[in-house]
């Protein structure tokens, strides 16, 4: 229970070289979460790399960098752009408020600091930040299985495709389909069908080997796997093991199905860095889908590989 409470507490980073201000802010915010502080931009960036805060309180003038530049840098980084930044300032010049919002600041607090105002604003912005994070997570998660959804797969595929070309590393995609799932649904009903999908989704996510590998629900009874920086040879054995893993779930199939227990068919393909220079990210998915069709044609419950073909415009 203690660990759960700690995980829910906010992480607040104060970036200010005025120790009196840091002490005052720590006193005002200590009940809202864990408070860390940095005396300059260099120290702050190192602490952010160590752990992303939920909110940043930032002085406008730092010894090594202007606060506006720090904020602008954070807002241009994918991992920190959503963190709310509240400026601490005694600057009252005309146009300052516009400068804060121009660089992506969420708000600013004027000196001398009022502890109750500081606490109230921080609490509001942290709550808003968490609500946005939750909505973003829901938008990228399949509600039934808890896996990444099709939108997440498409977005991550585009990212990894660019990485494949940039870092000269291969990219492997696998498409999985539950064999004869319509027969299962027709015999056992849709509620049981949903439970079957959940069971297989859980088995797939448990089998994920690396944090960078993505397991997504592709649609209906189909799943998609994304393996960055992985050659076909490195994936083949893993996919063979997946077939056995699903069989060992011993989910009884419909009497009219080919196999007594629920099985899956898999198709996969690998895009090389050279191909990435002249093809589209969707070409590797189409190749994996072609391989999946081959697995089904050959009797299901098997893995097939297909090379990525050049698009029709290049053939």
């Amino acid at each position: 229970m203690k660990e759960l409470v700690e995980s829910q507490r906010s992480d607040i980073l104060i970036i200010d070289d005025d120790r009196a201000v840091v002490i005052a802010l720590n006193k005002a915010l200590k009940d809202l979460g864990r408070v860390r502080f940095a005396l300059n931009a260099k120290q702050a960036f190192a602490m952010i790399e160590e752990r992303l805060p939920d909110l940043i309180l930032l002085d406008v003038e730092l010894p090594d960098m202007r606060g506006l530049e720090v904020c602008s840098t954070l807002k241009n980084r994918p991992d920190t752009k959503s963190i709310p930044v509240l400026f601490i300032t005694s600057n009252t010049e005309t146009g300052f408020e516009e400068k804060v919002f121009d660089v992506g600041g969420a708000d600013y607090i004027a000196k001398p600091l009022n502890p109750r105002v500081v606490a109230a604003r921080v609490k509001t912005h942290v709550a808003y930040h968490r609500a946005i994070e939750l909505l973003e997570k829901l938008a990228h998660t399949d509600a039934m299985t808890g896996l990444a959804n099709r939108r997440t797969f498409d977005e991550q595929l585009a990212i990894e495709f660019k990485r494949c070309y940039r870092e000269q590393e291969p990219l492997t995609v696998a498409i999985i389909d539950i064999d004869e799932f319509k027969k299962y649904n027709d015999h056992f009903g849709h509620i049981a069908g949903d439970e079957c999908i959940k069971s297989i989704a859980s088995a797939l996510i448990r089998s994920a080997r690396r944090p960078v590998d993505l397991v997504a629900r592709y649609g209906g009874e189909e799943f998609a796997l994304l393996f960055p920086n992985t050659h076909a040879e490195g994936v083949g054995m893993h996919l063979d093991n997946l077939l056995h893993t699903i069989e060992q779930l011993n989910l009884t199939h419909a009497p009219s199905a080919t196999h007594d227990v629920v099985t899956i068919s898999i198709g996969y393909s690998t895009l090389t860095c050279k191909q990435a220079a002249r093809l589209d990210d969707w070409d590797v998915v189409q190749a994996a889908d072609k391989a999946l069709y081959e697995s089904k044609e050959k009797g299901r419950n098997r893995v097939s590989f297909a090379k990525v073909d050049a698009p029709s415009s290049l053939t």
Side-chain angles (χ1 to χ4, degrees):
M1 179 62 72
K2 181 180 178 182
E3 288 79 6
L4 178 61
V5 171
E6 285 297 322
S7 68
Q8 294 175 339
R9 285 170 61 82
S10 302
D11 189 293
I12 302 166
L13 177 61
I14 301 169
I15 310 173
D16 199 311
D17 62 331
D18 188 330
R19 294 182 182 275
V21 171
V22 170
I23 292 171
L25 288 173
N26 182 58
K27 184 177 180 179
L29 302 174
K30 63 181 180 179
D31 292 334
L32 298 183
R34 176 177 179 176
V35 180
R36 297 182 290 158
F37 66 90
L39 299 176
N40 54 54
K42 182 179 179 180
Q43 186 180 9
F45 284 124
M47 294 177 74
I48 291 169
E49 290 293 336
E50 177 186 330
R51 183 173 62 256
L52 294 178
D54 295 302
L55 179 139
I56 295 172
L57 286 159
L58 175 62
D59 189 17
V60 173
E61 297 295 339
L62 296 171
D64 54 347
M65 193 173 182
R66 293 198 66 207
L68 293 172
E69 294 176 46
V70 173
C71 183
S72 181
T73 299
L74 293 172
K75 293 303 172 180
N76 283 309
R77 283 176 41 172
D79 59 334
T80 58
K81 66 180 180 181
S82 65
I83 299 173
V85 177
L86 277 61
F87 280 91
I88 306 165
T89 181
S90 56
N91 193 322
T92 57
E93 68 179 38
T94 303
F96 175 74
E97 185 177 5
E98 286 84 350
K99 291 179 182 178
V100 166
F101 296 131
D102 285 345
V103 296
D107 203 350
Y108 70 93
I109 302 172
K111 296 178 183 179
L113 300 176
N114 182 320
R116 291 183 62 186
V117 171
V118 171
R121 290 196 180 181
V122 167
K123 190 174 182 179
T124 297
H125 283 286
V126 166
Y128 179 72
H129 175 57
R130 287 187 169 175
I132 293 297
E133 280 189 324
L134 178 59
L135 288 174
E136 186 69 15
K137 182 178 180 180
L138 291 173
H140 286 80
T141 303
D142 176 63
M144 180 193 294
T145 63
L147 298 180
N149 59 16
R150 173 67 179 271
R151 173 184 173 183
T152 304
F153 175 80
D154 290 345
E155 291 177 352
Q156 198 62 32
L157 174 66
I159 291 171
E160 296 302 341
F161 176 78
K162 292 177 182 176
R163 195 197 311 275
C164 170
Y165 176 70
R166 184 175 64 250
E167 298 183 2
Q168 300 291 287
E169 295 287 352
L171 173 64
T172 299
V173 171
I175 305 294
I176 297 174
D177 186 73
I178 303 175
D179 292 327
E180 300 179 293
F181 187 69
K182 185 179 186 303
K183 292 181 179 180
Y184 187 98
N185 255 347
D186 290 344
H187 182 77
F188 294 107
H190 291 283
I191 293 178
D194 288 349
E195 291 303 317
C196 175
I197 290 174
K198 290 178 186 177
S199 296
I200 291 177
S202 296
L204 293 178
I205 197 65
R206 287 196 303 270
S207 69
R209 301 176 302 172
R210 308 173 303 172
V212 295
D213 296 339
L214 178 70
V215 181
R217 187 179 179 197
Y218 199 59
E221 66 272 20
E222 283 194 328
F223 303 89
L225 308 181
L226 199 58
F227 301 97
N229 303 341
T230 309
H231 293 277
E233 298 79 10
V235 173
M237 186 176 295
H238 172 65
L239 297 179
D240 283 332
N241 290 335
L242 274 184
L243 292 182
H244 300 302
T245 297
I246 301 305
E247 274 192 294
Q248 289 169 5
L249 293 176
N250 287 317
L251 300 173
T252 302
H253 213 320
S256 59
T258 304
H259 301 281
D260 294 334
V261 297
V262 173
T263 59
I264 58 174
S265 293
I266 305 175
Y268 73 108
S269 187
T270 297
L271 186 76
T272 66
C273 55
K274 290 182 179 179
Q275 289 172 319
R278 60 190 180 87
L279 301 180
D280 187 79
D281 56 3
W282 204 242
D283 292 314
V284 66
V285 177
Q286 290 180 322
D289 199 55
K290 178 181 176 182
L292 173 63
Y293 182 79
E294 181 181 332
S295 289
K296 290 186 170 294
E297 285 290 295
K298 290 182 177 180
R300 303 182 177 88
N301 193 27
R302 66 185 63 230
V303 179
S304 298
F305 175 80
K307 292 183 178 180
V308 180
D309 296 324
S312 56
S313 60
L314 296 178
T315 58

